Amino acid sequence: MALIVQKYGGTSVGSVERIREVAKRVAAYQRQGHRIVVVVSAMAGETNRLLDLARQVARRPSERESDALVASGEQVSAALLALALQDLGLKAASFLGHQVRIATDSAFGRARIQSIDKHRLLATLADGTVAVVAGFQGVDRDNNITTLGRGGSDTTGVALAAALGADVCEIFTDVDGVYTGDPRIVPHARKLGRVSYDEMLELASLGAKVLQIRAVEFAKRYRVPVHVRSSFGDEPGTMVIEEDKPMENVLVSGVAHDRDQAKITLLRVPDRPGLAAKVFGPIAAAGIVVDMIIQNASADGITDLTFTVPRGDFQKALSMVRGDEGGLGVQGIATDTKVAKVSIVGLGMRSHAGVAARMFEVLAGEGINIQMISTSEIKISVVVDEKYTELAVRALHDAFIPSRPAESRRPSAQESR
Ligand code: ADP
Ligand code: ASP
Ligand code: MG
């Protein structure tokens, strides 16, 4: 008898029919004698609808009230699933973040889980009740409702699995696993049978939103095996697990892309010690994550400094550097909000030279100009004009991922859309 945490995403609970299907799946597990904690997202589109409502009543919705509002989406799906389970004759109870007590910090909209009280859930499971937990939400020390950032139900699922010592965390979604590229833009992408925590961390942070990055961080830290699979079928998906020797033989395991990028260039700045600290200190203090940075060589003591930020933070970052143009000695600012980041990820890059050169050749062959480059041990990322995103992803996929016809099929949910 296992303890299993199952997380169902928005599409998987997107209608009453889907919720009934999920209830049937949970009931089948329950019949096998497993103890089940289910984490649910809001029904597909609901979080966006709620955020839109907030914008209709307030020009700049406050973060605290926005969290109170969007957290309600998960409350609805958790209660509906508990009702559907009861309708099948199971014992089920829904729990909100504060009822479990998923304690977070107070960073509304992007809160981090600090601790989880497992006692109430364990007591619930002990008498054969299925616990249905609202994903994406927690509570801070002042009892304010917080949310964990978009896609945060994944993190609720994995964090609960870690806290409860679950045997596995199953992430049920609308694709049947982690693919070598986003199946929406690489039709011949292959499903990975296994992927290491480190590769998945890179893929998630580089735009593969099939798992929220913090979920992967939890999984890695607490060694939670994560099984990403489809709620529309029964076939096995992708296991996200600790790396082993054979995984290192794969040069590139995936191609990722991220359109959520904007670029700011400070033109002709005096190249003095402390310049970078002066520019990036206040931006970091405002909670904006700067991704790539390039400083051009300066022969005459004058330099150009270019960096990228998430598009949602672009205006804020821009107004910060604009506000200090005088102090920085900037002679102009250029911006570009139509850029995207395209990356290749693979453990094999650690031991193989020449991967970057090959990547640049492939992009050059397609006439795609590389604006910025960054590398780590197991990934190479480039910033390109957004209009080339799909071309770049497909060209890199063709160049680096060997095709295996037997496995190359599109996920079922995509086909049925
Ligand atoms: P859920 O609502 O179930 O949390 P998401 O929309 O957050 O689902 O994540 C699933 C989506 O992630 C897929 O529909 C797919 O378009 C996208 N995706 C991006 N990159 C990948 C990848 N490498 N493998 C699988 N899916 C990916
Ligand atoms: N409902 C939230 C969102 O849309 C959380 C999640 O789906 O994981 O981002
Ligand atoms: Mg998601």
Side-chain angles (χ1 to χ4, degrees), residues 7-12 41-42 151 153-154 171-184 192 200 203 207-211 228 254-257 414 417:
K7 177 261 173 177
Y8 291 89
T11 317
S12 304
S41 293
S153 300
D154 295 334
I171 302 283
F172 284 95
T173 182
D174 59 3
V175 274
D176 61 359
V178 179
Y179 273 65
T180 49
D182 185 343
R184 282 175 213 252
L192 295 163
M200 196 62 233
L203 288 169
K209 68 165 188 159
V210 59
L211 282 178
V228 180
V255 181
H257 68 282
Q414 302 296 323
R417 272 188 177 176

Side-chain angles (χ1 to χ4, degrees), residues 2 9 37 177 185 200 218 221 238 287 301 363 372 405:
V37 175
I185 73 167
M200 196 62 233
F218 264 103
R221 189 171 338 139
T238 301
L363 295 171
M372 300 172 89

